[in-house]
Amino acid sequence: MPINMSTIVVIAIVALVVIILFCLGYVKAPPDMAYIISGLRKKPRFVMGKASVKIPFFERLDKLSLKLIPIDVKTSNAVPTADYININVDATVNIKISNQPDKLHLAAENFLNKNSDYIASVAREVLEGNVREIVGRMRLEEMVSDRQKFANLVKENAEPDLAAMGLDIISFNVQNFVDGNDVIENLGIDNIVKIKKAAAIARAESERDIKVAQAAADKESNDAAVAAQTEIAKKQNELDIKKSELQREADTKRAMADAAYEIQKEEQRKVIEVTTANANIAKQEREIELKQKEVAVREQALDAQVKKQAEAERYAAQQRADAELYQRQKDAEARKFEAERAAEARKAQAEADKYAKEQEAAGIRAVGEAEAKAIEAKGIAEAEAMEKKAEAYAKYNKAAVAEMLIKVLPDIAGKIAEPLSAIDKVTIIGGSEGSNGVNQVAGNVPVVMAKVFESMKETTGIDLSEIVKADTYDAKVNRNVNVSGLEGLKVSVDDPQKLAESVVKEVEGNTVPEQEDLPNDFDMSSEDSED
């Protein structure tokens, strides 16, 4: 079964709306943020580090930060310890909103749409109260000596209170304990003195041991230095003696080498001078021979160059002349050919224009003749039709008029019943005298037809009901109905069809035809007699 185009359009629109709603409701939460989607369910949905979809217009989106919130917790005034010593505590705490579902639900109820400063102020009050409580339960010396224990006790004591708000304690570090009476400082005086005494004794013993060890080390170092320097001096003397011997041998060998070098140098100089003189003589002889050969080569080259250049110039001039002549001949032939083709084209165009004009004139002439013949034939046909129609109208009598009226009766009935076919729904409130209302609507058609017969009888004198009944047994035997006057009826209107049309118009518009348009010599009588 083919899918209707409107169905496809509706499906496409629905799909587009779903996609748009999905895009509008698509949310993606980062790891340090909790998205709270609420509206349609009893409990909100929490989205952390993943994506989800909220229904637009029906659900809302709120955000809750899961980042660390640093808090500086300080007691606003001195707090007495278990041994009744007033101190002030300074601590740093890191808290955050818990990512556990139950605690996150509590945090959403308590801190939704609140900034971190508000959360920090609320947590600071809780932590300060727990710090005061733990300070009151511990001794000062215990707190000072074991700060980690104090911090763990405060953390354990404050975690249930913060968990009820949806908060977790990440870290709790005590920065300092401060008292106004220097009690903490006095507690360490004895230890300080003992430590200083032990340190001084240890320092003195260490310095003594260091000095003894330093003296022994200096003695051993000095002895080793003297022995080392003596050995170095001995070795240095031996080295100097060895160097003198080696230097003497080196000088002797160097002098012998220098003398041999000079002798060899002089011999080589003599050989070089003789060889150089011989080379110069040979060189001069070679240069003379080369110059003689160069002169001969130049003469031959000049002769060949002049001859070849003359021949080349003559050949080039001849080729240029031949090329120019050939080009002029081709140009003349091309201009002649183009002129001949242009003349032929103009001649063909003239002949074509002439033929087109002749064909256009012949077409116009043929169209005019055809239109004239068509108008003539139409006029003759209309004249003949008018003549035939006039002859037919002249032969009309009362019987023909009655027949025309009877023929249009089905059309009249159709026009009367046509409004009923346009009724889509009928609502009946009530009826009169046992009638349900539908019979009254359906009965209007014969009532109106009867009114039409009466109107025709009054305006034309023709009783259609008697004509319809004239051929029945009752009319002929019992009632003796005779229809007379139809034979001599003469139509006094231009078109008898107009009579039927006037009756139809009377039904549609409740108009009565004028008397001058109806025949005035129509007579119909009926005679009732009992048999």
Side-chain angles (χ1 to χ4, degrees):
M1 182 178 180
I3 301 175
N4 193 2
M5 190 63 186
S6 60
T7 305
I8 297 174
V9 172
V10 171
I11 294 173
I13 292 173
V14 172
L16 181 61
V17 171
V18 171
I19 292 172
I20 292 173
L21 292 177
F22 178 80
C23 294
L24 291 176
Y26 181 78
V27 294
K28 185 163 62 175
D32 62 345
M33 187 72 68
Y35 284 6
I36 304 171
I37 301 174
S38 59
L40 292 179
R41 304 180 182 181
K42 293 182 179 180
K43 292 184 178 181
R45 288 184 291 137
F46 296 94
V47 181
M48 293 173 291
K50 60 182 180 179
S52 182
V53 178
K54 73 177 185 70
I55 302 175
F57 310 112
F58 294 98
E59 291 183 335
R60 63 172 292 170
L61 176 66
D62 295 291
K63 299 178 181 179
L64 201 61
S65 177
L66 302 180
K67 295 181 180 179
L68 286 176
I69 302 175
I71 303 174
D72 189 10
V73 179
K74 293 182 180 180
T75 55
S76 57
N77 48 28
V79 181
T81 63
D83 48 0
Y84 305 103
I85 299 173
N86 293 330
I87 63 170
N88 291 317
V89 181
D90 184 7
T92 57
V93 185
N94 289 318
I95 66 169
K96 67 181 291 293
I97 294 175
S98 178
N99 55 5
Q100 298 179 6
D102 296 338
K103 292 183 179 180
L104 189 58
H105 184 75
L106 294 173
E109 292 180 354
N110 295 320
F111 304 114
L112 188 62
N113 298 323
K114 301 293 184 181
N115 55 21
S116 58
D117 294 337
Y118 176 79
I119 299 173
S121 64
V122 174
R124 184 182 294 109
E125 294 178 358
V126 174
L127 291 169
E128 186 176 348
N130 284 274
V131 166
R132 289 175 176 274
E133 182 179 352
I134 300 303
V135 168
R137 288 162 49 186
M138 294 183 66
R139 298 174 61 84
L140 178 60
E141 186 176 357
E142 184 182 6
M143 286 188 294
V144 174
S145 61
D146 193 354
R147 295 188 178 189
Q148 187 61 40
K149 179 181 179 181
F150 174 79
N152 291 334
L153 290 174
V154 174
K155 185 177 179 181
E156 292 174 359
N157 196 59
E159 278 180 347
D161 296 336
L162 295 177
M165 302 177 186
L167 301 176
D168 288 340
I169 299 177
I170 305 302
S171 64
F172 188 98
N173 297 314
V174 178
Q175 299 294 323
N176 196 12
F177 294 106
V178 179
D179 68 297
N181 299 316
D182 297 332
V183 176
I184 298 175
E185 183 178 357
N186 293 330
L187 286 175
I189 289 176
D190 186 22
N191 293 332
I192 291 172
V193 172
K194 290 179 181 179
I195 292 171
K196 285 182 178 182
K197 180 180 178 181
I201 293 171
R203 185 181 297 110
E205 292 177 352
S206 298
E207 290 177 355
R208 181 196 60 195
D209 295 340
I210 290 171
K211 288 180 180 181
V212 171
Q214 186 68 35
D218 290 343
K219 181 179 180 298
E220 293 177 359
S221 176
N222 189 29
D223 294 341
V226 170
Q229 288 177 4
T230 302
E231 188 67 23
I232 289 171
K234 290 179 181 180
K235 295 295 183 182
Q236 188 67 36
N237 291 332
E238 293 177 359
L239 179 62
D240 292 339
I241 294 169
K242 189 67 175 178
K243 284 182 177 180
S244 297
E245 293 176 353
L246 293 174
Q247 184 66 35
R248 183 176 64 252
E249 293 177 358
D251 292 340
T252 303
K253 291 181 178 181
R254 186 181 297 109
M256 294 173 62
D258 291 340
Y261 175 75
E262 290 295 334
I263 295 168
Q264 187 66 26
K265 182 178 180 182
E266 187 65 23
E267 291 178 356
Q268 291 294 329
R269 184 181 63 78
K270 292 178 180 180
V271 173
I272 291 170
E273 289 178 353
V274 173
T275 304
T276 302
N278 294 332
N280 290 331
I281 294 169
K283 181 178 179 182
Q284 291 175 0
E285 292 175 353
R286 185 63 178 169
E287 288 179 353
I288 292 170
E289 292 177 0
L290 289 175
K291 288 180 179 179
Q292 290 175 354
K293 291 181 179 181
E294 287 179 359
V295 171
V297 170
R298 287 180 182 177
E299 290 177 355
Q300 294 176 1
L302 183 60
D303 187 15
Q305 184 176 1
V306 171
K307 289 180 179 180
K308 292 294 182 181
Q309 185 174 1
E311 291 177 358
E313 290 178 354
R314 182 176 64 254
Y315 180 76
Q318 184 179 355
Q319 291 296 323
R320 285 195 297 270
D322 292 343
E324 291 177 357
L325 177 61
Y326 179 78
Q327 185 64 35
R328 288 196 296 271
Q329 291 175 355
K330 290 298 181 180
D331 291 342
E333 291 177 0
R335 287 194 294 272
K336 180 181 178 181
F337 179 75
E338 291 178 356
E340 291 176 356
R341 293 297 300 271
E344 291 177 359
R346 287 194 294 271
K347 182 179 178 181
Q349 183 65 34
E351 291 178 356
D353 294 341
K354 179 181 178 182
Y355 180 76
K357 295 294 184 182
E358 290 175 355
Q359 292 297 322
E360 184 178 358
I364 294 172
R365 183 169 61 254
V367 171
E369 292 176 356
E371 291 179 353
K373 290 181 180 179
I375 294 171
E376 181 181 1
K378 183 178 179 181
I380 293 171
E382 290 179 354
E384 290 178 355
M386 292 295 292
E387 184 177 358
K388 294 295 184 181
K389 188 183 289 186
E391 291 176 359
Y393 289 165
K395 294 178 182 180
Y396 269 34
N397 53 19
K398 291 184 178 180
V401 173
E403 183 181 0
M404 291 178 62
L405 294 176
I406 293 170
K407 287 181 178 181
V408 299
L409 285 177
D411 295 336
I412 296 173
K415 293 291 183 179
I416 295 171
E418 184 176 355
L420 296 178
S421 65
I423 297 175
D424 183 29
K425 181 180 180 182
V426 177
T427 302
I428 299 174
I429 305 302
S432 60
E433 297 180 358
S435 176
N436 58 4
V438 177
N439 296 331
Q440 296 178 4
V441 175
N444 286 333
V445 177
V447 173
V448 175
M449 289 295 296
K451 295 293 184 181
V452 172
F453 285 3
E454 292 178 2
S455 299
M456 291 176 64
K457 181 178 180 181
E458 293 177 359
T459 56
T460 64
I462 299 174
D463 191 351
L464 293 179
S465 62
E466 293 298 330
I467 293 173
V468 172
K469 297 176 182 179
D471 197 30
T472 63
Y473 177 83
D474 180 67
K476 291 180 178 180
V477 178
N478 297 331
R479 299 179 60 192
N480 192 19
V481 177
N482 294 318
V483 179
S484 61
L486 295 177
E487 294 78 3
L489 179 61
K490 295 181 179 179
V491 180
S492 60
V493 296
D494 294 337
D495 189 356
Q497 186 67 21
K498 186 175 181 181
L499 180 62
E501 293 177 356
S502 64
V503 176
V504 176
K505 289 181 180 179
E506 179 182 4
V507 175
E508 293 177 348
N510 294 326
T511 59
V512 179
E514 295 182 2
Q515 187 66 29
E516 62 183 11
D517 294 335
L518 302 176
N520 52 12
D521 55 351
F522 189 90
D523 183 18
M524 177 180 290
S525 62
S526 64
E527 182 178 357
D528 297 335
S529 63
E530 296 180 358
D531 191 6

